[in-house]
Amino acid sequence: MLEVSESKLGQYVVHYVSDTLVLGEESFSRPEVMLEAAFTQLAFNKIDWDQQYEFFHETNIGLNEVYTYVKSIFDSENSFLEQSKNIATHLHSASQHPNIKNGELFIGLFENCSMATEVKKVIAIVKIDEKEMFLDVRNEQNKMIVSGIDGINVKKINNMAVIVDMGADASPQVYIKTKRKEDIVYWQERFLKVKVADEHYHKTNLALTECKKYILKEESFTNTEKLGLLNKTLDYFRNEEEFQVSDYIDTVFEKVDPAQKDIIVNSVKPYETVISDSAIEKAEKNYKRKIKLDSNIEIQVNVRDIEQVDELIEVGYDEATNRKFYKIYFQEEL
């Protein structure tokens, strides 16, 4: 994971990408503290550090535009403004589609970032598609002045790329975030031209996500059954070396009709892979173990075994009140 709490924004520039490309003619350095903090949050907001990407090209990596431009900056920081213009020009050519919005392009060179105790230089590229209205409230000589400002929300998700310099003889590490799924094609494939660095992690993560999605959406399962199936899914991935969809179905689901089986196979068959332990660790944090009720009550369940869930939680129906209920068994309060 990249640590940026002690980072310094060495240089930055803002271009505007639209039908007409507007290039910034000056790069700025060492912004004042509040502005630097805002740019830092803009550049690194909600990046998934577990999912790493790498630049590629079908014939010669030197023909990958963004790779060439950022390597030039890492090799010579004096080329920052020139190469940032090249990056903006390349993004402009990759954005020629009516569904891609106009917006500002922030490019920053951050210094003193750290990864595994090593100091790294980092280039952040952020495309900002939307602005918001903010209220500017000031006290001027005991008189409150309120005005509206059209500005950028630095906490909002944008299309972004964080590129870490790993040294002259190593390819940079790339981390990305896209605002919408439909942005992946132009941002990841056409502009950056990056691919997943760890295919096993990527496929394991997608398989776990799709399995969870199916279980939670399947209406024939009760809430307690869903909890048990989610836990059995995690156990399957923990205990097996490879994810095979047919084996997964046989292991996790006691009874599954042909239609349900087809849904599962079609959803996760492309993600059969050697199982990644780090992907499982990430999934464990996101797999819900809650039963949410319309009475605004949530039941948190940390039991793994589905049979144990059935023993501890009983679902019933009270005819007198015409309502469902849960009965929970336990030995003592903790």
Side-chain angles (χ1 to χ4, degrees), residues 82-98:
E82 175 190 357
Q83 298 300 342
S84 77
K85 292 180 180 181
N86 290 335
I87 292 171
T89 301
H90 174 54
L91 177 60
H92 178 255
S93 67
S95 305
Q96 300 305 303
H97 191 283

Side-chain angles (χ1 to χ4, degrees), residues 56-326:
F56 80 99
H57 192 274
E58 291 81 358
T59 58
N60 185 342
I61 189 63
L63 298 177
N64 181 307
E65 290 89 342
V66 178
Y67 169 85
T68 301
Y69 303 147
V70 299
K71 285 290 282 184
S72 295
I73 295 173
F74 288 143
D75 292 340
S76 174
E77 295 181 15
N78 292 332
S79 69
F80 175 79
L81 179 59
E82 175 190 357
Q83 298 300 342
S84 77
K85 292 180 180 181
N86 290 335
I87 292 171
T89 301
H90 174 54
L91 177 60
H92 178 255
S93 67
S95 305
Q96 300 305 303
H97 191 283
N99 290 338
I100 299 175
K101 297 181 179 180
N102 302 334
E104 289 78 10
L105 179 68
F106 166 83
I107 302 176
L109 175 61
F110 290 83
E111 303 166 347
N112 203 41
C113 302
S114 62
M115 178 178 282
T117 71
E118 295 184 2
V119 176
K120 302 293 184 183
K121 289 188 293 186
V122 173
I123 292 174
I125 304 172
V126 184
K127 169 75 182 307
I128 303 153
D129 292 339
E130 296 179 1
K131 290 186 177 180
E132 297 181 2
M133 179 62 73
F134 295 90
L135 292 178
D136 182 26
V137 182
R138 303 186 307 277
N139 184 350
E140 296 182 359
Q141 298 180 345
N142 294 324
K143 183 179 180 180
M144 301 305 296
I145 306 297
V146 181
S147 59
I149 299 177
D150 193 24
I152 295 168
N153 185 346
V154 297
K155 293 183 179 180
K156 201 165 186 176
I157 294 177
N158 299 286
N159 291 328
M160 59 183 72
V162 173
I163 304 161
V164 184
D165 182 15
M166 302 304 292
D169 299 326
S171 180
Q173 290 186 8
V174 184
Y175 302 88
I176 68 172
K177 188 76 176 180
T178 50
K179 186 175 182 180
R180 305 172 301 173
K181 284 186 177 180
E182 50 266 40
D183 291 337
I184 292 177
V185 172
Y186 102 89
W187 185 257
Q188 176 180 331
E189 299 176 10
R190 284 166 37 196
F191 169 55
L192 294 169
K193 201 156 191 178
V194 293
K195 63 180 181 180
V196 173
D198 185 347
E199 192 69 23
H200 297 319
Y201 173 92
H202 183 60
K203 285 190 172 182
T204 303
N205 185 43
L206 289 173
L208 283 160
T209 300
E210 291 301 320
C211 290
K212 180 180 75 170
K213 190 184 299 183
Y214 166 75
I215 291 169
L216 293 179
K217 285 187 175 181
E218 179 52 55
E219 295 180 354
S220 65
F221 300 142
T222 66
N223 282 330
T224 51
E225 285 175 334
K226 289 179 181 179
L227 287 174
L229 291 170
L230 289 175
N231 287 322
K232 288 185 76 173
T233 295
L234 286 175
D235 281 341
Y236 172 85
F237 278 85
R238 291 190 197 101
N239 296 329
E240 300 296 328
E241 293 184 359
E242 293 188 21
F243 171 62
Q244 298 289 337
V245 63
S246 58
D247 182 52
Y248 164 73
I249 293 172
D250 292 340
T251 303
V252 173
F253 300 91
E254 292 183 3
K255 296 179 181 179
V256 57
D257 62 45
Q260 289 176 317
K261 186 172 182 178
D262 286 343
I263 293 173
I264 301 172
V265 171
N266 291 334
S267 299
V268 299
K269 181 69 174 179
Y271 310 131
E272 291 184 327
T273 184
V274 174
I275 293 174
S276 164
D277 291 338
S278 55
I280 298 173
E281 291 176 9
K282 178 184 178 182
E284 286 178 329
K285 300 174 184 177
N286 299 324
Y287 262 54
K288 293 183 179 180
R289 294 185 174 89
K290 291 181 180 179
I291 300 174
K292 292 186 177 182
L293 309 178
D294 57 11
S295 56
N296 291 324
I297 293 176
E298 292 185 357
I299 303 174
Q300 177 81 31
V301 182
N302 291 322
V303 177
R304 285 189 178 182
D305 189 276
I306 187 170
E307 285 78 15
Q308 197 174 5
V309 172
D310 291 337
E311 290 175 4
L312 297 176
I313 301 177
E314 179 182 330
V315 184
Y317 179 76
D318 186 351
E319 295 184 355
T321 61
N322 195 32
R323 291 187 298 180
K324 300 175 183 178
F325 65 83
Y326 279 100

